Structures are given as structure tokens and as C-alpha cells.
Amino acid sequence: MLHNIAKLGHCRRKVLNFLPHVRWTARRRLITSALENPEVDVALSTGRVLRISSGKYARFADGCAVVTIGDTAVMVTAVAKQKSQNASFLPLVVDYRQKSAAAGRIPTNFLRRELGPSEKEILSARLVDRSIRPLFPAEFRYDTQIVCNMLAIDSANPPDVQAINGASAALALSDIPWNGPVGAVRVGLVDNEVIINPTRKEMQLSMLDLVVTATRQNLVVMLEGRGNVVNENELRMAIKKGTKEAQLIINGIERLQKTYGKPKRPLEPLPVVDEEIQNAVRTMSEMRLREIFRDFSHDKFSRDQAVSKTRTDTIDKVWSSYPTVDPSLISETYNKFVKGVFREMLLEENRRCDGRGLDDLRKISCSVNLHKPLHGSALFQRGQTQVFCTVALDSPESALRLDAIASLDSGMKSKNFFLHYEFPPYATGETGKIGPLGRREIGHGALAEKGLVPIIPIEHPFTIRLTSEVLESNGSSSMATVCAGSMALMDAGVPVQEAAAGVAIGLITKYENNDTKHLEDYCILTDLLGIEDYMGDMDMKVAGTRRGMTAIQADIKVPGIPLKVVMEALQKAMEARFKILDLMDETIGTTRTVRKDCWPVTDRLVIEAHQRGKLLGPGGTNLRRLYLETGVQLTSDDETSFRIFAPSEAAMHEAKEYLENLLKAEKIPDLEFGAIYTARIVELRDTGVMVTLYPSMPPTLLHNSQLDQRKIAHPSALGLQVGTEIQVKYFGRDPVSGYMRLSRKVLQGPATAMIRNLDRPAAGGPASTNQTTNGVEDVKS
């Protein structure tokens, strides 16, 4: 492949020499169209091949790449506007669309087409966004859109990680300024062996599902994963292996970029103020800011108000002295200066703005069993972050059903445990609309759910819904959700394997010229504050138990951090997690065993097959009536067995009384196999007679073939009428239908003499004699 690329490059240079008067871009398109589609194959250490190609699809986009592994193909396009919108940040949007057609499916909704983005699509889009955002230059503030489109999805290779590689290749090949490329791999752990890009079948056996995004020189850009209580040493090994493997993908993209990449468009420098104005901002605000950040009595709002007041005073005074300068530039200069002062103080003093040391936790308080009607509840307070969690237990039929594409991706058709995360505006003292969940809420809820899934027992009789409502927020509400959710589950009597907790780890770095490989200085912050997250360079959230990690997410804001720093952060997270678990154990250390009155209960009902119709009623009316009156649900396991779910013990007693009365009329005497009983005819039919053996018995059919030794077409031929009593022999119930097997003819003995009919003369003689032999015939079992 390298030889072919070099050969094509040589041909390209020869043709360029013969076209000196044609514009470079036009000549490039002419030559590229004459050559094969640009592509490169990346051989991973597992022996699998990752193919990255470009030039065939979406050629109007600034950059386009198709990543193929197995039969899964993902096309990613990158487009950026040519003019800046004067934004103070990078307006980057990532859209990830997982098409049903790519998997050979038709959507199951009413319109049979893709609608709004699903939760899986939103989480995958966030995965791509966090992998590429840190590498954009600070001066680049153009509207940029990354679109990840699924071309084909097989049953073995998930497409989300390849969307990261596709976005990296598309940006590298485009003219959009970007300090990439990056490479991403999924890391699994099966039998203590690290597996790169495991298949869906391998993932079912894996203890770890970790996505690692890295850039050159083994710098980690993004981490996202879940683990089934994975040991920290195994996690470190997986991160190192994933970072090393990502270098192979980076090298492949760089080879493709070197030959086919477009020249990067020039960047417009950001407007800056004169050094004189910068000095004026420093003079008027530095001492005040340092006093604010050293005043440990401040809380979130008082500190923000003090900084805001300083901003207003500084801008007004500087603008009054330099009226020709745009106030927005003075404001932006002040914001950069505030960030610089905050970071310098942390690196110099190793003391945080709330008085804590670098490794100290905020004050933690916990409580459980807050309201009597709730199955389980917990309140977790860490500093000024407060989370209220409730647990609702319901029947297995309340499980969350997944759509076809999500089932294909996760291997699950439904979830009996799911977490819903809410972040209302009052949690930060603001106003706003409470409506559809945003990407942030979905992402934080999914992370907290990953942190708790491994401690939930696999076999549980109920569907568990955990609701987390953030009442106050000043950093790491998702990790507070893990802590509160763990305690709420134990308060609800869910037999969790062990408690789980989570903590956020921050990072402040000092480096020159975007060289984050060689950091001049850095400090790691345990239990991150909101302002530290905003001013810092990393927000790493780690959840787990005492035995290991259950979820991890690293949001890194600089162009990668060394593995050494990542490993130190993981060690800090483990130490902090143990401290939090100790405090949680003081409130509730084990699962509650004393039942609450509000807890649901389950039982099983077994009936005879012939009782099923009586139990259900016409069209299931009896079950609906039972649910409306008592809230109890009956679910059929088979023809004779039902599962009973009751919202409380009292409801179960009421339901059992209802069912007992319903089936009381159905109680029948024990019938002896082979015994003879008196049956009463209640209806005549063409096929036989309907008889009952006792008053409350549902009529059963005695077929014409079992009425008499002779073959008859209608029961009236034997003179039988409604109300007539006859003797029948009982042969048990049919094992398939459950109907009684009765026979009358087996009671008729064989004829010993000829039967003569003297009333009707026979043709050709004085009388006709009819002879019938009545033999005994056994009924087949």
C-alpha cells in the first residue's frame, strides 16, 4: 500500500509539471479523479484491518472520510463556514445518525422513518464531540458541523468508535484548521486479556467496555467506559494498550493526509487589546481577585457575585480611560485574566478557593428513607451539590423496551434497571423551561447508570427505575447521583452486591506552545468544584466500588495529557472513593432487610387448564377488573401458571381473596379414573350431547361415537332429551385440551340374542329381523 501511494504521488508530480497555468485546486481535482479513490489500510495488533477512504462520497463537503471495519461502514463529513460569527467559543455541532436502513431494518414507529435522535445517537455524538473539540485552535471560532452517517452496520462491529476515527480523518483531510489527527479504539477485557475493538459477541463476555481516544505521543484526549467492577490495575493496563493501539490509526490518517489532504485555511487572529490595557486590567483587578479566591467563607453564589462585581468595576474604569476600545474586548481580556489568576494561585499555593487541600473532599452528609410512600429514597449532600434519588419497583412488564437498532448495538431487548436524571434550572439558581431533556442530562444520566448497573443483581423479580433529581449543583452532580442512587437501592431492599460511589477529578496544567507532552507544572484536584471545572483542563469522573471501577468518563480540554497524569488521577479517584464509601456506610451499610409496607410483592398462581377461561373472563375482563380494583397484575407464564405482582402486601391479600372467590365455583370433586358417574344432559348437539356430572361443572361434550355401540348421526336417534340422566364412565382428562374423557358405550354389554322388530314387516317376508352385536370398546388415553 505504501509503495502504491508513493507511486501515485510520483505520477501526480509529473502531471503537475505539465499544467503550470492551471490553478492548484483544479489540477488536484483533475489528477485525483484520474487516480483511484484515496484509501489506507490500518492493520491493528489483533490482525483486523481498519480501512479509511475518501474522495468517493460527499465531495462538496470540506472533508469526508469513510471508515470500514468488517462490514460496518461509517461516513463522516466536516463542513465549516468561511466567515466567523464573532462567537466567544467554538460553535461545533456533531450529529450522529444511526439509520435503520444501514442494518437492513425498517423503523417501528408510525411513520416508518427515522425521527429525532435517540439516546444512543446522542451519547455517540457526545463521544465524537469530546474527542475532537480539544484539538481545535483557540482562534478558530467558525460554525462547524460534523455529520456521522451510517452506510452499513453488521452484527459484529459497533459503529460509534469508528465515527470518531472518521471525524478525525475528515478534519485532517479538510482545509479546516485542526491540530489532529486522533485515533480511537474500543478496549475489552476477557479472561484478563485486553482485546482491541472486540466484536459484539466478545463484548458479551467482556468485563470492560472502554473507548480510548488519543493523539500523537501517546497523549490521552478522551476516555469513556463502563466496567463490571474492574480492578484499577486492569483499567490502567487497558488505557495504556488502547493509547498505544490508537497510534496505528493516527499514522494511517497522517499518511492519507500527507498525500491527499487539503492545505489548511489561514486563521484570522483574534482581536486583542494593547498591552497597556492589559496592564490596566491587571492593576485594577488582580489584588481584588486574589482576595476573593483566598476568602474561604465564600460559597458558589457569593464568590460569583464578587467576581462579577469586580468585572463590572474593572471594565467601567478601563473603558472610561480608553473610550475607543470595544468593551467586549475588555471583558474578554478580564475573563482570561481571571482564569490565569485562578490557575496560578492553585499551582503556587496548593490551596483551593474553598480552603481545601488538593486531595480533600467537601463535607458530605447522607440520609435515607425520607418519605413513607417511596420504595427507596436517599439524599446525598456534598458541599453545595445536593441530589435526591428515589427508587420505584414495578412488575417485569414495566421493563424499558429498546428499539431494534439499539437492541442490535447492545445485545439487549429490554432493561429491567434504568436511571432517569433531571437537572432543573433552580439547581443553579436560574430560571428556564422544563421540557425535553438536553444532551447534557442524557449524558450525565447514562454515566450514572453505567456506574450502578454492575451492582444490580442479574435475577431480580422487579423492574427498577431510579430517578435522580439535582436540587443543588456545584460540581459533579452525576457522581453524586451514583452515591445517592446506591443508598436508595439499598433502602429499597434491592440486594445490591456492594455500595458504589463516584468522584470527579480535575487538573490544572502549565505548558508552552500547545506542548502538553512536556508539562511545566500541574496539579490534580480531588472532588471538583464547578468553578474548578470551568477554569481547569480536565473533568474525570470515576465511579466504582471498593473492588474496582464501574464507570469512567474523562472530559479533557487541552490537546491531550500524558499517561502519567492519567494514572495519577485514577489513583486519586480510588483513594477518594474509599473515603466516600466509608461515610456512606455510616448511613446505610447493607441492604435493608426489614420490609416496608409499601414494597411490592410477587407470588405464583397455578390452576387447572380448564380453569383458564374462567380466570381470564371474556376478553380478559377479569384481569382488567382485578388491576383496576387492586392494582395487581397477572402475567401468564404458560397455560396453567401465572405470575402475580401486587404493589403492596395488602393489595396481594385483596387480590388472592378476589381470585379465590372467582375460582371457588370451579372447585370440583376428585373424580376417580374408571369410575361410573351419573351425568345429566343439558344440551343436544349434532356431534353429541353436553353433560354435567355435578351442578357447578361446565358442560362437557359426550361425542356421538361414545354414546352407543351403534353408529348414530344425532343423539335424538337414541331418544335422548335435555334433562335425561345417563350412566357414563370417566377416563380422566385429555393431556392436551384438558377436557374430560367420558364414554357411555363402554357400559353397554354385548348382545346375547337377536333383536326382532315385529312392527315393521320386511320386504319379501312376513317379518324382518335386525341383528346387532354390541361389543365393549375401550376409550383411547
Side-chain angles (χ1 to χ4, degrees):
M1 176 60 70
L2 290 175
H3 175 72
N4 292 336
I5 291 176
K7 186 176 180 180
L8 291 175
H10 177 67
C11 296
R12 170 178 167 272
R13 287 192 297 270
K14 289 182 65 177
V15 177
L16 284 175
N17 292 333
F18 286 102
L19 299 173
H21 303 294
V22 184
R23 293 180 64 243
W24 186 90
T25 54
R27 285 183 283 148
R28 182 183 186 83
R29 291 173 182 169
L30 175 63
I31 296 164
T32 303
S33 64
L35 301 175
E36 296 181 358
N37 292 324
E39 65 179 34
V40 63
D41 290 342
V42 179
L44 302 176
S45 62
T46 56
R48 307 182 69 190
V49 176
L50 181 75
R51 173 165 294 177
I52 305 173
S53 60
S54 182
K56 184 177 180 180
Y57 301 121
R59 283 171 284 193
F60 283 173
D62 292 334
C64 176
V66 177
V67 178
T68 305
I69 184 168
D71 291 328
T72 294
V74 183
M75 183 187 76
V76 184
T77 58
V79 177
K81 288 185 176 181
Q82 297 292 332
K83 294 183 179 181
S84 174
Q85 302 297 319
N86 295 323
S88 58
F89 59 93
L90 171 62
L92 172 66
V93 176
V94 177
D95 289 313
Y96 180 98
R97 301 309 305 271
Q98 194 157 296
K99 305 292 183 63
S100 298
R105 305 291 180 90
I106 297 176
T108 56
N109 58 66
F110 180 76
L111 297 177
R112 296 296 189 270
R113 66 177 301 164
E114 286 77 14
L115 301 178
S118 64
E119 180 174 322
K120 172 62 179 176
E121 290 172 322
I122 291 174
L123 295 176
S124 299
R126 284 171 55 87
L127 207 64
V128 177
D129 186 300
R130 290 169 30 233
S131 297
I132 63 176
R133 186 181 290 270
L135 282 89
F136 281 95
E139 300 83 7
F140 185 77
R141 297 181 179 180
Y142 300 81
D143 283 334
T144 306
Q145 185 178 31
I146 307 295
V147 179
C148 308
N149 191 9
M150 307 302 107
L151 300 181
I153 303 174
D154 62 17
S155 59
N157 300 283
D160 51 357
V161 173
Q162 307 317 323
I164 301 175
N165 294 321
S168 174
L171 287 169
L173 293 170
S174 72
D175 64 342
I176 300 173
W178 190 60
N179 297 323
V182 299
V185 294
R186 172 172 267 111
V187 184
L189 187 65
V190 179
D191 297 331
N192 296 325
E193 181 181 353
V194 175
I195 300 178
I196 299 299
N197 284 347
T199 62
R200 286 189 175 92
K201 187 175 182 180
E202 291 172 335
M203 282 305 304
Q204 295 176 359
L205 306 174
S206 178
M207 296 285 290
L208 178 67
D209 180 7
L210 177 67
V211 178
V212 180
T213 303
T215 185
R216 305 180 190 91
Q217 300 179 319
N218 292 326
L219 298 178
V220 177
V221 178
M222 193 277 302
L223 296 173
E224 173 89 26
R226 58 179 176 84
N228 190 9
V229 192
V230 176
N231 183 273
E232 261 73 12
N233 292 330
E234 295 174 335
L235 177 61
R236 293 186 180 96
M237 178 178 64
I239 294 174
K240 291 178 181 178
K241 180 67 175 177
T243 304
K244 181 180 178 181
E245 199 75 15
Q247 304 305 307
L248 301 176
I249 300 174
I250 293 169
N251 294 336
I253 296 176
E254 286 180 338
R255 294 199 304 268
L256 198 64
Q257 179 187 14
K258 191 175 296 183
T259 307
Y260 299 102
K262 299 177 184 177
K264 298 299 182 182
R265 69 180 71 165
L267 279 174
E268 296 181 6
L270 294 177
V272 294
V273 296
D274 297 336
E275 185 176 354
E276 184 180 356
I277 298 178
Q278 296 179 18
N279 292 334
V281 171
R282 173 184 295 273
T283 302
M284 296 180 183
S285 62
E286 182 173 11
M287 294 303 297
R288 294 178 63 180
L289 289 173
R290 288 184 177 272
E291 289 177 3
I292 293 171
F293 295 143
R294 287 196 184 103
D295 187 353
F296 305 145
S297 64
H298 278 307
D299 61 7
K300 173 184 173 66
F301 291 103
S302 62
R303 185 182 300 110
D304 289 348
Q305 289 172 0
V307 172
S308 179
K309 182 179 180 181
T310 304
R311 172 190 289 108
T312 302
D313 295 343
T314 300
I315 294 175
D316 289 344
K317 291 178 180 178
V318 173
W319 191 37
S320 63
S321 302
Y322 303 93
T324 59
V325 180
D326 189 350
S328 62
L329 293 179
I330 302 176
S331 177
E332 188 168 350
T333 302
Y334 174 83
N335 293 338
K336 291 181 180 179
F337 181 69
V338 171
K339 187 173 182 180
V341 170
F342 186 87
R343 295 163 65 92
E344 285 176 8
M345 291 181 64
L346 272 171
L347 293 172
E348 294 170 359
E349 302 176 5
N350 288 334
R351 181 64 57 181
R352 300 157 76 170
C353 61
D354 59 354
R356 288 184 293 154
L358 300 182
D359 300 334
D360 294 341
L361 296 172
R362 288 174 286 175
K363 183 181 178 181
I364 294 176
S365 61
C366 315
S367 56
V368 296
N369 197 20
L370 301 173
H371 299 281
K372 188 175 180 180
L374 301 178
H375 296 160
S377 60
L379 183 69
F380 182 82
Q381 182 93 40
R382 178 161 51 193
Q384 288 184 295
T385 296
Q386 185 185 73
V387 173
F388 177 62
C389 280
T390 60
V391 171
L393 306 175
D394 210 327
S395 65
E397 284 65 40
S398 301
L400 181 64
R401 301 291 192 269
L402 302 180
D403 59 84
I405 300 300
S407 299
L408 178 66
D409 185 74
S410 63
M412 296 187 303
K413 293 184 178 180
S414 62
K415 297 197 304 184
N416 68 338
F417 169 72
F418 47 94
L419 185 150
H420 289 160
Y421 172 95
E422 300 175 5
F423 194 99
Y426 61 75
T428 54
E430 300 173 355
T431 61
K433 293 183 179 180
I434 299 179
L437 292 180
R439 295 193 172 196
R440 180 181 181 276
E441 285 80 3
I442 292 176
H444 284 200
L447 176 62
E449 182 178 306
K450 290 177 184 176
L452 292 171
V453 164
I455 69 173
I456 303 295
I458 298 177
E459 296 294 334
H460 195 266
F462 303 119
T463 294
I464 307 170
R465 183 198 184 212
L466 178 61
T467 303
S468 170
E469 185 171 359
V470 181
L471 306 182
E472 300 174 6
S473 177
N474 188 16
S476 190
S477 58
S478 60
M479 293 298 96
T481 295
V482 175
C483 301
S486 175
M487 293 189 295
L489 288 168
M490 289 190 285
D491 183 55
V494 178
V496 298
Q497 299 176 6
E498 53 185 325
V503 67
I505 304 297
L507 177 68
I508 302 293
T509 61
K510 185 178 181 181
Y511 55 91
E512 294 290 340
N513 301 324
N514 284 335
D515 183 12
T516 57
K517 176 68 175 179
H518 305 93
L519 298 177
E520 297 179 7
D521 194 7
Y522 69 92
C523 64
I524 297 175
L525 310 177
T526 299
D527 188 12
L528 209 58
L529 277 176
I531 189 173
E532 293 170 341
D533 182 12
Y534 176 74
M535 302 286 191
D537 298 325
M538 181 184 74
D539 180 10
M540 176 187 285
K541 301 180 178 70
V542 184
T545 67
R546 295 187 187 275
R547 294 188 296 118
M549 182 274 300
T550 57
I552 183 172
Q553 183 183 94
D555 185 6
I556 299 170
K557 305 173 186 178
V558 295
I561 58 176
L563 282 171
K564 174 189 174 183
V565 178
V566 175
M567 301 309 160
E568 288 184 25
L570 290 175
Q571 180 66 25
K572 299 288 187 183
M574 182 181 67
E575 295 171 357
R577 189 170 72 241
F578 288 169
K579 296 177 183 177
I580 298 170
L581 287 171
D582 290 339
L583 295 172
M584 291 168 54
D585 288 345
E586 296 176 4
T587 302
I588 181 168
T590 58
T591 298
R592 181 184 297 276
T593 55
V594 179
R595 290 190 55 84
K596 295 183 180 180
D597 294 336
C598 63
W599 279 359
V601 291
T602 60
D603 204 346
R604 186 167 293 276
L605 174 67
V606 179
I607 61 173
E608 298 289 340
H610 67 279
Q611 294 178 301
R612 183 181 177 89
K614 180 69 175 178
L615 175 66
L616 300 180
T621 54
N622 289 343
L623 298 190
R624 288 197 295 270
R625 181 181 177 185
L626 176 66
Y627 178 74
L628 292 174
E629 291 183 357
T630 65
V632 175
Q633 301 178 38
L634 255 68
T635 306
S636 175
D637 287 335
D638 52 46
E639 291 295 321
T640 62
S641 180
F642 290 82
R643 281 183 288 112
I644 308 177
F645 170 83
S648 64
E649 193 75 42
M652 177 64 78
H653 291 321
E654 186 179 354
K656 285 186 175 180
E657 183 179 352
Y658 174 86
L659 295 173
E660 184 178 351
N661 294 332
L662 185 65
L663 299 175
K664 183 183 296 184
E666 283 295 309
K667 291 184 178 179
I668 60 175
D670 293 333
L671 301 180
E672 183 181 353
F673 187 91
I676 299 173
Y677 296 95
T678 300
R680 178 179 296 275
I681 299 175
V682 295
E683 183 183 354
L684 297 180
R685 293 184 177 180
D686 292 340
T687 56
V689 295
M690 302 296 293
V691 298
T692 59
L693 303 185
Y694 48 91
S696 62
M697 171 183 166
T700 188
L701 177 67
L702 181 58
H703 197 267
N704 286 338
S705 62
Q706 300 299 325
L707 279 174
D708 200 87
Q709 297 283 344
R710 295 166 294 179
K711 185 177 181 180
I712 62 173
H714 196 274
S716 60
L718 300 176
L720 299 178
Q721 297 177 356
V722 175
T724 302
E725 292 185 349
I726 58 177
Q727 300 295 315
V728 295
K729 195 169 186 178
Y730 175 70
F731 291 95
R733 291 184 178 274
D734 186 276
V736 177
S737 64
Y739 295 136
M740 286 185 181
R741 296 183 296 188
L742 303 174
S743 178
R744 178 175 177 264
K745 73 177 183 180
V746 298
L747 301 179
Q748 299 172 347
T752 58
M754 300 294 293
I755 301 176
R756 297 178 181 273
N757 189 349
L758 302 177
D759 296 333
R760 181 180 299 173
S768 175
T769 301
N770 297 327
Q771 179 178 346
T772 303
T773 302
N774 294 331
V776 179
E777 180 180 345
D778 291 337
V779 179
K780 295 181 179 179
S781 305

